[in-house]
Amino acid sequence: MALKGKLLPLGAAVVVIGLVLLGAGVVGMMMWPMPGWSGMAFSVGMTVTIPGAFLVVFGMINRSMGAAMSSMDGALRPAGSGGMFGLIKDLAGGNRDLLLNGVPASAVVLSMRDTGVTVNDLPMAVFELEIHQPGSMPYRVAHREPIPRLLVGAVLPGSQLAVRVDPNDAGRLAVDWSQATGRTSRPAAAGQQVSAADILARGVPATVTILGTFSMNGMTTDDGDPVVGFDLEVTGPYRPYEVRLAHRVPRPHLTRLVPGTRLPAKIAPEDPQKVAIDWEADSPVGEPQAF
């Protein structure tokens, strides 16, 4: 490795020597009578310059590749993930051995992002987790792991995961996806009716874009506000998706219900299809929220 780092300066030195000999040879050939050393200097200079030029080229290529690999490694490496080798390890199966011999713990998802990589057709995500173990202070760790397709959209910031931690390395863990995810504050079960107020109180912040609206045949809330059907694109902590729902609209907001309008919203942690528009955050008008 040390020799590779010296290829460029070594090649440059050899080229300089070769060019000096070549120059001397050319100058000697232009003299009359031509000295006997000129032909030798020219030949040696040519012989030295050519391999020196190859050393320079190889040195430049080696340096460029080293910089590119270092940049790639830094882009792929969250804290404690092992960079390029960590990614290769993840692709080969990651820390699944910990499901058998790891120490049980719980983890709260503080943040997450999609890497754009899939492993066995499962999306790879990078998490920032807060780990809780009995008898220990909570600590944070960056972790990379594929998410089962059935749980995509259900695992959001605030979700609580069952994990197994390496007893010899607190930063190494595996998520036990066989145990259901949940929230640290008791969530409603998926499929259970929840109010918009409940979602706004404990949900995950998001933004919705109105794709279209449809009639609810004159349905209104108890206080007389209309209920409107929406086709929405939801942009939250994970990849954008679409939902179709009915939602109460305070009358001052009726003029805003046009395609392309963006509104603040929150997502129910246990069911990403349950979305509540935060009308109060959208304007000074603030009223109790309900579907």
Side-chain angles (χ1 to χ4, degrees):
M1 294 299 294
L3 179 60
K4 288 185 177 180
K6 297 178 180 177
L7 285 178
L8 186 57
L10 178 62
V14 172
V15 167
V16 170
I17 294 172
L19 290 177
V20 170
L21 291 173
L22 275 174
V26 171
V27 171
M29 291 179 180
M30 296 176 64
M31 295 180 178
W32 187 260
M34 185 176 69
W37 54 262
S38 61
M40 179 64 70
F42 184 87
S43 299
V44 173
M46 182 68 71
T47 303
V48 170
T49 301
I50 293 175
F54 276 108
L55 286 175
V56 169
V57 172
F58 278 116
M60 294 177 65
I61 292 174
N62 181 262
R63 181 169 295 184
S64 299
M65 290 183 66
M69 290 299 291
S70 298
S71 175
M72 183 181 297
D73 190 52
L76 290 171
R77 176 171 44 226
S81 69
M84 181 67 75
F85 289 105
L87 179 61
I88 294 172
K89 183 177 181 181
D90 290 336
L91 296 175
N95 301 332
R96 309 316 297 172
D97 60 296
L98 294 178
L99 295 178
L100 296 176
N101 53 34
V103 177
S106 63
V108 178
V109 179
L110 301 178
S111 65
M112 58 185 293
R113 64 179 176 84
D114 186 6
T115 64
V117 176
T118 59
V119 179
N120 295 328
D121 199 36
L122 302 179
M124 177 78 76
V126 171
F127 301 90
E128 183 184 7
L129 302 174
E130 184 177 80
I131 309 300
H132 296 259
Q133 289 181 283
S136 301
M137 291 291 293
Y139 62 94
R140 295 187 178 187
V141 63
H143 178 65
R144 181 173 48 214
E145 186 162 332
I147 302 179
R149 286 284 181 187
L150 292 178
L151 294 179
V152 171
V155 179
L156 298 168
S159 296
Q160 184 170 304
L161 305 173
V163 299
R164 295 274 181 163
V165 180
D166 188 334
N168 301 314
D169 182 357
R172 182 171 177 260
L173 59 92
V175 179
D176 187 354
W177 297 112
S178 65
Q179 299 190 41
T181 62
R183 288 282 292 189
T184 52
S185 60
R186 292 179 57 198
Q192 178 180 331
Q193 287 295 109
V194 292
S195 67
D198 182 45
I199 297 175
L200 292 175
R202 61 184 179 82
V204 179
T207 301
V208 296
T209 303
I210 298 177
L211 302 178
T213 59
F214 54 91
S215 173
M216 296 299 295
N217 298 320
M219 183 184 297
T220 61
T221 61
D222 292 340
D223 57 6
D225 283 336
V227 175
V228 177
F230 288 93
D231 289 312
L232 302 172
E233 181 182 71
V234 183
T235 305
Y238 210 59
R239 61 188 66 180
Y241 62 96
E242 295 183 11
V243 298
R244 185 177 177 87
L245 52 79
H247 204 294
R248 173 181 182 265
V249 181
R251 292 186 181 278
H253 293 267
L254 289 173
T255 57
R256 303 201 61 209
L257 307 187
V258 295
T261 299
R262 294 168 59 86
L263 300 168
K266 289 193 176 179
I267 306 168
E270 70 282 347
D271 187 350
Q273 293 298 310
K274 295 185 183 300
V275 178
I277 299 173
D278 193 348
W279 299 113
E280 186 173 353
D282 184 52
S283 76
V285 178
E287 301 181 30
Q289 302 295 307
F291 281 118

